[in-house]
Amino acid sequence: MTELGPNPLAAGERNIAVDEARAAIRGALAPIGGIETVALRDAVGRVLAADVVSPIDVPAHDNSAMDGYAFDGSALQAGTALSLRSVATVFAGAPFAGTLHEGECVRIMTGAVMPPGLDTVVPLELCRADGDRVQLEPGVIKPGENRRRRGEDLARGKAALHAGRVLRPADVGLAASLGFEQVAVRPRLRVALFSTGDEVVAPGRPLPPGGIYDSNRFALAAAVQRLGMTVVDLGLVRDDREALQATLDRALREADVVLTSGGVSAGDADYTRDVLARMGEVAFWKVAMRPGRPFAFGPLNGPGGRRSWLFGLPGNPVAALVTFYAFAREALLQLAGATPEPVPMLQARSAAAIRKRPGRTEFQRGIVGRAADGGWEVRLTGSQGAGVLRSMSEANALVVLGHDQGSVPQGGMVDVWLFDGLL
């Protein structure tokens, strides 16, 4: 677990903007320690713990960038045609072992090692071959063209991949191309999550009068898993001081992060705040956003100096997901040792007017698609209520209306987060 100094977050309940909340969270966190080595085939989605330094030059030799004829570019003269004699064919993986003389060239394939003394490749379509004679018209090629130099992609001793990178398929392929079988990565972040409330019922059970099925735990677990992290599912916790205390004690033993939904608004039972205050330095915020105004964040202290971070999300299903995307997602990646990257933001034209008052950030569910003129357009997915999860499921993006932004006219430009960018 992370060892912390004094909590950098002010205690007590605060009214803050979304950007201020993000900055406070970012400033409080440091990556969880530890390094482990995994086979390259198991590395995708993991956070790189150390630079991958190339042990070789890439390419390892000067080579041809395309199929054509390789020759000494110094033979080219402005305004003058060039006639060469082809004396051999050079394939990739089979370097030319002969000796070339003035006026000679070789037929060469893409990736083949350039023979000594040759530095230029003329593509097949830019020359004329007749038997062993190759004719080049004036100006079709310049000296040195179509040659890939040794080490031009990556020089030996240079970092090919940097620590903090979340490894993608291309990164795994790059590491393999350098001869690596395994890489050093950060341990998977362990995220404990549970839902609170006597009215919440696990799916598969009969729904009593006034009860609701627990969607938050499943949606949040899926969001955490998409980040490549380990979910510690602690189930449902009833509205009871002892039950909450026992669940948090277990979370502190088993996880780096505690993710809850429900129990953080002003109307919730006092014991929730009492338990959290006794266990750590959790701050309860009223964030100027819609949906998702109530939010809690801070460190929890366990036996033996163990500490975990708590993210207390609202209970409404859409609000829980939106606050996860707005605050917890980036924070979890930071704790996992990943180099923070902003969520890709797209500008799209609003298909209809959107009402909005300045003074809070609003996240509205939308569907982004191509307009008739080829530009991006977004339309809202019906009701934007914090409990309407169906409209979240139908959406492929969140429309982000900034803190100081007012209403948007039809055709006005808005920022959108594409869900595929929120992995």
Side-chain angles (χ1 to χ4, degrees):
M1 301 295 171
T2 306
E3 292 298 326
L4 305 171
N7 182 15
L9 304 170
E13 197 160 319
R14 309 173 59 210
N15 291 278
I16 58 176
V18 167
D19 286 346
E20 183 186 354
R22 283 184 182 143
I25 294 169
R26 186 166 52 247
L29 301 179
I32 302 298
I35 296 177
E36 60 188 40
T37 301
V38 298
L40 203 55
R41 62 179 174 272
D42 299 321
V44 70
R46 301 297 298 269
V47 178
L48 198 60
D51 290 352
V52 173
V53 177
S54 178
I56 59 174
D57 288 322
V58 181
H61 307 276
D62 287 9
N63 67 76
S64 176
M66 58 183 58
D67 292 348
Y69 290 91
F71 64 99
D72 180 357
S74 66
L76 293 168
Q77 297 184 16
T80 302
L82 180 64
S83 178
L84 299 167
R85 186 170 73 93
S86 179
V87 298
T89 299
V90 182
F91 296 93
F96 178 68
T99 301
L100 292 168
H101 301 91
E102 184 176 352
E104 294 180 337
C105 66
V106 296
R107 173 77 183 273
I108 195 165
M109 304 303 167
T110 302
V113 175
M114 293 286 285
L118 308 190
D119 63 1
T120 306
V121 177
V122 60
L124 297 177
E125 63 270 19
L126 297 183
C127 61
R128 185 176 70 257
D130 184 9
D132 65 353
R133 303 304 303 180
V134 180
Q135 307 293 330
L136 281 69
E137 296 300 322
V140 298
I141 197 77
K142 295 179 181 178
E145 282 195 277
N146 303 316
R147 173 183 57 160
R148 296 176 63 230
R149 293 180 179 272
R150 175 178 178 172
E152 74 171 35
D153 291 346
L154 187 62
R156 180 179 180 178
K158 297 293 184 180
L161 299 166
H162 292 281
R165 186 175 183 86
V166 179
L167 293 171
R168 301 174 299 178
D171 303 328
V172 173
L174 176 58
S177 76
L178 300 176
F180 289 97
E181 293 182 286
Q182 54 190 24
V183 288
V185 297
R186 296 276 190 175
R188 290 189 189 274
L189 198 71
R190 294 180 60 81
V191 182
L193 54 86
F194 59 89
S195 297
T196 62
D198 291 342
E199 77 283 7
V200 182
V201 179
R205 291 190 170 189
L207 194 63
I212 58 171
Y213 282 122
D214 177 20
S215 61
N216 289 357
R217 188 161 46 98
F218 293 87
L220 293 171
V224 170
Q225 287 170 335
R226 291 192 76 183
L227 294 176
M229 299 166 186
T230 300
V231 172
V232 180
D233 188 351
L234 302 183
L236 298 175
V237 180
R238 63 185 185 277
D239 289 328
D240 176 84
R241 185 187 304 271
E242 287 71 27
L244 178 61
Q245 181 71 67
T247 303
L248 288 172
D249 287 342
R250 178 185 169 190
L252 274 166
R253 291 193 304 270
E254 299 183 16
D256 307 300
V257 175
V258 184
L259 194 63
T260 73
S261 62
V264 295
S265 66
D268 290 314
D270 290 339
Y271 70 79
T272 301
R273 298 185 177 217
D274 291 344
V275 169
L276 294 176
R278 188 167 62 249
M279 296 183 69
E281 303 162 82
V282 175
F284 289 83
W285 297 339
K286 293 180 180 178
V287 185
M289 65 184 293
R290 179 183 180 190
R293 186 166 178 254
F295 182 75
F297 169 72
L300 296 176
N301 304 315
R306 292 176 65 88
R307 283 189 167 182
S308 295
W309 288 99
L310 180 129
F311 293 82
L313 312 181
N316 280 322
V318 175
L321 274 174
V322 167
T323 50
F324 177 88
Y325 289 142
F327 305 123
R329 172 192 172 275
E330 182 179 332
L332 295 183
L333 289 170
Q334 184 179 348
L335 286 168
T339 301
E341 293 184 3
V343 174
M345 189 82 79
L346 179 73
Q347 282 257 315
R349 188 168 58 245
S350 180
I354 303 175
R355 295 181 60 186
K356 195 262 183 187
R357 62 178 177 83
R360 69 183 181 193
T361 301
E362 292 192 9
F363 299 86
Q364 302 203 21
R365 288 136 271 171
I367 298 175
V368 176
R370 286 291 187 184
D373 63 1
W376 292 110
E377 184 178 70
V378 62
R379 59 180 178 85
L380 302 185
T381 56
S383 174
Q384 297 294 307
V388 185
L389 195 55
R390 176 189 54 78
S391 64
M392 190 76 161
S393 176
E394 291 177 352
N396 65 3
L398 286 175
V399 179
V400 183
L401 304 175
H403 186 86
D404 297 322
Q405 188 172 357
S407 295
V408 179
Q410 181 179 2
M413 301 302 292
V414 293
D415 292 331
V416 296
W417 282 347
L418 296 176
F419 282 155
D420 280 348
L422 289 168
L423 296 181

